[in-house]
Amino acid sequence: MIDEQTKSKSSGSSGSFWRELPILLVVALVVAFLVRAFVVQTFFIPSQSMEHTLNIDDRVLVNKLVYDFRDPHRGEVIVFVSPESWRSDPTEKDFIKRVIGVPGDHITCCDPQGRIQINGHPLDEPYILPNTDHTGQNAAPQDFDIVVPAGRLWVMGDNRYSSGDSLQNWRAHNNSDINQATIPIDSVVGRAFVLFWPFDRMRWLSVPDSYESVPAPTG
């Protein structure tokens, strides 16, 4: 038999829970908002520019905090606010590409094996979508020779022949305006670090080994 004191405590605890529930829900929503705004956010892939590393409608998690402590590294997949001149659709603000060059890097393409070279180091890129619609298998649809300006990044899609990236915008400005072909570091939203949807393609978006041997710029 439950005495009156125990019954009263039980009723009080239940009432206290229901009174506190709205506060707990508000706290949970605030925490979720802060995490999304400052720490981790999900993004979906709207185009074919990163195939087949990332396919249309894939979902990725983006670390929005990491670049508060350091700049992006070569080989990382990043989300950034695109320059307006890059957008074929004004509503497409957030782009996702791979960092190829950081400030001071001398980037050329293509060597006799069709590879990009960074500071004289040839880059092996097995993640690039094979070129089936054009002659050859070069790592880019056009030769180029550039130096990345201070405070900016040279970015490219893994689908090199169908990507609105640095090279496409370099060509669009007649190979003459390097600032139009690069993005400011402070436009980077964060690093895409995991592909989480669909589940059968889930994996970490790690930096390929080839980037580890790239020397620092000499200029």
Side-chain angles (χ1 to χ4, degrees):
M1 182 177 182
I2 300 176
D3 61 33
E4 290 300 321
Q5 184 179 5
T6 303
K7 184 177 180 181
S8 176
K9 287 181 180 179
S10 176
S11 299
S13 298
S14 176
S16 175
F17 170 78
W18 290 110
R19 285 194 300 272
E20 293 174 358
L21 182 59
I23 298 174
L24 294 174
L25 291 174
V26 169
V27 170
L29 288 172
V30 169
V31 170
F33 171 80
L34 292 174
V35 168
R36 184 182 186 278
F38 300 107
V39 184
V40 175
Q41 186 175 347
T42 62
F43 285 84
F44 82 97
I45 308 305
S47 74
Q48 60 187 6
S49 70
M50 285 293 292
E51 290 180 339
H52 284 298
T53 302
L54 299 171
N55 293 333
I56 294 174
D57 290 335
D58 281 355
R59 264 62 172 177
V60 296
L61 289 179
V62 173
N63 183 335
K64 302 177 71 174
L65 194 62
V66 60
Y67 297 136
D68 289 341
F69 301 97
R70 65 169 177 84
D71 287 341
H73 293 169
R74 302 180 197 94
E76 293 178 338
V77 177
I78 61 168
V79 171
F80 59 94
V81 178
S82 62
E84 289 187 8
S85 61
W86 286 33
R87 305 175 193 175
S88 57
D89 179 346
T91 64
E92 294 177 354
K93 185 175 76 169
D94 295 322
F95 279 27
I96 185 165
K97 308 292 178 189
R98 188 181 298 276
V99 177
I100 303 299
V102 298
D105 279 345
H106 179 203
I107 309 175
T108 61
C109 189
C110 299
D111 72 3
Q113 286 73 47
R115 299 172 296 183
I116 286 175
Q117 294 189 74
I118 306 175
N119 304 327
H121 173 75
L123 203 60
D124 292 319
E125 300 182 277
Y127 49 81
I128 292 178
L129 183 68
N131 170 28
T132 58
D133 297 329
H134 301 78
T135 302
Q137 290 292 329
N138 287 351
Q142 175 185 315
D143 290 349
F144 63 94
D145 187 333
I146 63 96
V147 175
V148 183
R152 305 187 74 85
L153 302 169
W154 179 273
V155 297
M156 300 180 77
D158 289 354
N159 183 356
R160 294 288 163 78
Y161 286 79
S162 183
S163 177
D165 56 16
S166 287
L167 180 57
Q168 184 187 77
N169 286 276
W170 178 242
R171 298 162 67 191
H173 290 87
N174 299 315
N175 303 352
S176 62
D177 192 341
I178 189 62
N179 285 319
Q180 288 290 339
T182 52
I183 64 167
I185 290 176
D186 61 11
S187 71
V188 178
V189 174
R191 178 185 176 184
F193 66 97
V194 65
L195 166 60
F196 73 92
W197 180 264
F199 289 140
D200 60 354
R201 284 173 36 78
M202 185 184 295
R203 59 191 178 83
W204 297 107
L205 298 173
S206 56
V207 175
D209 294 340
S210 182
Y211 289 89
E212 296 179 2
S213 303
V214 174
T218 57

